[in-house]
Structure formats: structure tokens, C-alpha cells
Amino acid sequence: MANEANIDWTNIGFGYIPTDYNIRATYKDGKWSEPVISDSEYVNIHMAATCLHYGQEIFEGLKAFRGKDGKIRIFRLEENAKRIRRSADGIMMAPVPEELFRKMVIEVVKRNERFIPPYGSGSSLYIRPIEIGMSAQVGVKPANEYEFIIFVTPVGAYFKNGFKPSKVAIYRGYDRAAPLGTGRWKVGGNYAASLTAGDKAHQGGYAAVLYLDPKEKKYIDECGPANFFAVKDGVYITPKSESILPSITNMSLQQIAADLGIKVECRPIPLEELDEVQEAAECGTAAVAAPISEIHDIDTGKKYIIAPDNQPGPVTTALYNRLRAIQLGDVEDTHNWVTIVE
């Protein structure tokens, strides 16, 4: 590839690296503008904008990969387009048309092709669409103007350990989202609510926080910035809750599990059931699937030992490898999850 970025692709971590371009569209007077390419990393926002005062901000995360054949593949673009529309509806923002979303994602990936990590590096191009309320107003009501921006950045593994089991903690004094609140939508406020507990966990040597249901504190909810799943007697189980963000990665892993003949159950999972699982992991766009070795209930002192040998379980490993192979084009994309950038 001509003019490839001068980056150590295997050691970039999961952070922000500037790229050449981003792409933007504006919603005004009841309609979306045509996309505009920008090389600026900044946004000019009025100090009274609704995104700053009332949390009218939603975002997505998806990835592009370079295959062994040199082709660029974007994973599950259509599902991200649908989910950001649901988030927009949830907090009364102007939904981005799916075709506009698709057009802008493909264009910004093309414009930054030299930042797509090479096959075999273990890295990818992270794509971050974000929509924000721009109207200047003081009353609590939805904006009538919005900005939709997509930027990209090359990333490595989300967790330093990569695909190796890590410990997570339960803190009963913190909730990520309320029942029937904004947990179902990808809004920035959900992540702001998780920062204190997350920092506490990291200081204690844990990779993430496993939240319990915010109503009764009896059932497993989300795992920090990701969904949770476990394997119990050969069955893939994952929590069902009105306060959990529907993870596209989790949805994909459930389909792959079914393809492999593994039974899937999406249901409430009582905390004590962790004593009966053989594998556990958190899953999401950033981490794909991150195995969990131990879960510590800090308030009760109870420890759930999931992987005593500190090795990823066979089912989690198979699911992870299959998903990665689809993303990279190493196996047939039987579900049409991948968009090839021409």
C-alpha cells in the first residue's frame, strides 16, 4: 500500500492516534446535509448546546480489518447503523438514515486507508461515529440541530493481557444505569456513570467491574463497557435485562455458538449461578471476547473462581477465533456480516 502510515502496528494499544480525515453531516431545518470531509480534529460548539447540558450525545464503535487477500472489511456496519438510530430515538435526537451512515463509514475508511493495520498485526481500524445536539438553548428539551461525525483511529488490544483471563470485581454500591433508563442505548452518560467504579477496580488490580442488576442486586448485568457471557455445562448463557446495551458482538457470538451446535440462553442469571459456570468472558467491539479468570464480590468477600488454570476456556476460544476469522476474511462470511470496501 502506498504511503502506509509509519506506525508500529503490533504495539499501538487501544488509544487515539490522529489520522488524515474525518467526515461530518449536519441536521438542520428538518433534514441532513451531504457529508463533508474534514481534516480538523475539533468541533465548534455553542456553550449552550444540548449535548453539553442535557446529555444529547450518542455514539457507536465498529472496526475495519485488512485481510490476507489485501481487502478491507468492515464488520457489521448495518447493525451499528440500526443501533445508533435506536439510541437517537431513545433520547429524542434526529436519527441518521442508515444509507447515510453506511456512505459516511465507507468514505472515511477509504480516506484513511493508510492507517488500516496490516493483516497479522492483531490490530484494526476503530471507527467512532458520534452524534451530538448542537442547538443553543437553556430549557430542557431536544435540540433541533445535530452534528454527526465519524473519525477513525488504529487500535490494538483493548486489554493489556490480550486474549488471556483477567479478574473482575463486583461493587454493590455502584450502578451503571437504571432499569428502563438509558442503559439500552449507547449514550455517553452510561459510561460516565461507570468511571468511578471502574477506576476503583483498576486501582485494585481488576480489569473491569461486573455490575449487578440495579433494581434487586440479584442478577448479573453488564461488565463495565461490555456485555457478559458464560458457559455452563456446554450452554452459552448471557444476561437478559432492560438496562443492558444490546451488544452487536454478543449477538454475533450467539449466532456463531448456534452455528457450532452450542445451545444459547439469554435469560436472567442469578449471581450465585457463577458457582456453576465453567467459562466466563466480557464481550464487545473493543475486546471481542475477554476471558475472565475470577470474579470477586468485594462487599461480601465471595470469590468465584472461573479459570483456576488461568487459561481461556475451549468454548470462549472457539467463539473468539471464529469471530476474528470472519472479520479478517479467513473463513466464509455465511451471514453477510462483512462489508468489503471496494
Side-chain angles (χ1 to χ4, degrees), residues 159-172:
F159 293 109
K160 293 180 181 178
N161 290 338
F163 189 68
K164 293 181 180 178
S166 57
K167 299 177 182 179
V168 302
I170 296 171
Y171 297 104
R172 294 167 181 266

Side-chain angles (χ1 to χ4, degrees), residues 224-246:
N227 272 197
F228 174 89
F229 75 85
V231 178
K232 177 186 175 183
D233 300 328
V235 178
Y236 182 109
I237 60 174
T238 191
K240 183 177 182 180
S241 164
E242 291 292 344
S243 58
I244 291 177
L245 178 73

Side-chain angles (χ1 to χ4, degrees), residues 243-306:
S243 58
I244 291 177
L245 178 73
S247 164
I248 295 168
T249 303
N250 193 354
M251 181 170 60
S252 303
L253 291 172
Q254 290 178 54
Q255 181 60 61
I256 292 171
D259 293 345
L260 297 175
I262 299 168
K263 184 180 178 182
V264 174
E265 293 179 358
C266 181
R267 59 172 173 79
I269 302 175
L271 178 60
E272 56 269 20
E273 194 171 351
L274 289 177
D275 273 326
E276 304 168 17
V277 306
Q278 291 78 48
E279 302 178 40
E282 49 185 307
C283 60
T285 298
V288 184
I292 295 171
S293 58
E294 299 179 19
I295 299 172
H296 295 182
D297 189 337
I298 304 301
D299 296 288
T300 67
K302 169 75 174 177
K303 291 186 179 182
Y304 301 91
I305 310 300
I306 311 295

Side-chain angles (χ1 to χ4, degrees), residues 14 158-161 166-171 174 191-211 223-226 282 287 290 296 298:
F14 198 93
Y158 187 76
F159 293 109
K160 293 180 181 178
N161 290 338
S166 57
K167 299 177 182 179
V168 302
I170 296 171
Y171 297 104
Y174 299 93
Y191 297 83
S194 73
L195 292 176
T196 301
D199 184 66
K200 193 172 183 178
H202 295 152
Q203 289 185 29
Y206 300 100
V209 177
L210 179 60
Y211 289 92
C223 195
E282 49 185 307
H296 295 182
I298 304 301

